[in-house]
Amino acid sequence: RVKRTMAASMAYGLYRLQLCSAITVGRSLRIWVVGAREETEGDLARHKLLIEVVRTLCSISGLEIWLIGPEMRGPWELEPCGSVLRAHCGTLHSMLEDRGAAACGGRPDVAVLFNSGIGTLVKELVESWLPSLSHLLQLDVPLILTCFSKSEVEGQRRLLQQCFKANVLIASHDNPFAAALPLSRHTQQSIGTTARAKMINTHLEVVRGSTLSKTLLASDALLQQARSLLSAMPLATTGQTLVSSQRAAQYKGDPRST
């Protein structure tokens, strides 16, 4: 279940959006997985636990999945079962500002953020996501988001709806394909029998576009307003806060500039 939670959650979101049945014959469904990591989505892709699982669950022949994130070791490409899976190393906003959506095959049909941590409201992490969130909302495509906990759901709601005025297509709810990561032996010994496994993809929601104009979404003034509002927000109470802080520096910097 742990190995398939990413693909199953993606397929579930596509099913709820009825996207698979809307794709015409001879056309591939283009999906951007934003904030992807080599050790997670990249590893699943190489072990045939991503695109193959989505194809099977959605009964769709053509898929084009892009794994985008500074923690990817791209570029690389796989072509399983007549579909295409490509990796891009770098932040989404850097890619779009440099080369536009054409750099990743064109405008996606849907974008996915797995356990991004934006709902923790950790300033160092969320601030690095703001430009990419702005671009995704400007594209006006369905954005599937999963998170670690119920407290992060509230954080996501504040950020997306209060800052960016995002339109909610599917309200956050328990994801039937959530999974628990097994605890390591060291963790079990250090914490004891009361240790609880870390859950991933526990909740899922979908937003699309914004009531704000694209011009306003792209403005520095809105991003500054979001940063100011973020500073005033309390942190979500979640065990992922420390992890999110550690990942913030990795997402914030674009590897191409190092």
Side-chain angles (χ1 to χ4, degrees), residues 48-223:
K48 300 182 178 181
L49 291 169
L50 193 59
I51 205 167
E52 293 84 352
V53 176
V54 175
R55 278 170 48 94
T56 300
L57 293 177
C58 292
S59 300
I60 186 171
S61 57
L63 277 176
E64 181 184 336
I65 296 181
W66 287 79
L67 304 180
I68 305 167
E71 295 177 66
M72 292 300 300
R73 292 194 295 271
W76 51 260
E77 179 177 316
L78 301 173
E79 296 186 3
C81 309
S83 294
V84 179
L85 195 150
R86 295 185 174 95
H88 175 85
C89 179
T91 58
L92 177 70
H93 56 272
S94 295
M95 179 198 73
L96 293 178
E97 289 165 5
D98 288 348
R99 294 181 287 166
C104 281
R107 185 172 178 269
D109 296 292
V110 63
V112 183
L113 271 64
F114 288 122
N115 307 299
S116 66
I118 61 173
T120 63
L121 306 183
V122 174
K123 188 176 186 296
E124 292 81 2
L125 171 65
V126 181
E127 188 172 28
S128 66
W129 270 102
L130 295 178
S132 289
L133 291 173
S134 171
H135 280 291
L136 286 167
L137 293 175
Q138 289 176 60
L139 285 170
D140 193 25
V141 298
L143 175 58
I144 301 172
L145 304 105
T146 70
C147 62
F148 288 107
S149 66
K150 191 171 183 179
S151 60
E152 286 194 43
V153 171
E154 175 60 18
Q156 282 188 174
R157 185 193 67 78
R158 287 172 157 183
L159 180 65
L160 294 172
Q161 295 178 50
Q162 188 172 345
C163 292
F164 288 101
K165 308 300 182 186
N167 301 310
V168 178
L169 293 185
I170 300 175
S172 181
H173 59 282
D174 292 343
N175 177 15
F177 297 102
L181 295 177
L183 293 172
S184 67
R185 181 177 301 178
H186 172 75
T187 301
Q188 291 175 341
Q189 291 173 345
S190 60
I191 301 180
T193 57
T194 59
R196 297 180 61 185
K198 180 174 69 175
M199 298 295 295
I200 57 175
N201 298 322
T202 61
H203 294 76
L204 183 145
E205 70 174 316
V206 184
V207 301
R208 177 173 184 168
S210 169
T211 58
L212 302 176
S213 68
K214 291 184 179 181
T215 300
L216 186 53
L217 281 172
S219 69
D220 291 336
L222 179 64
L223 294 182

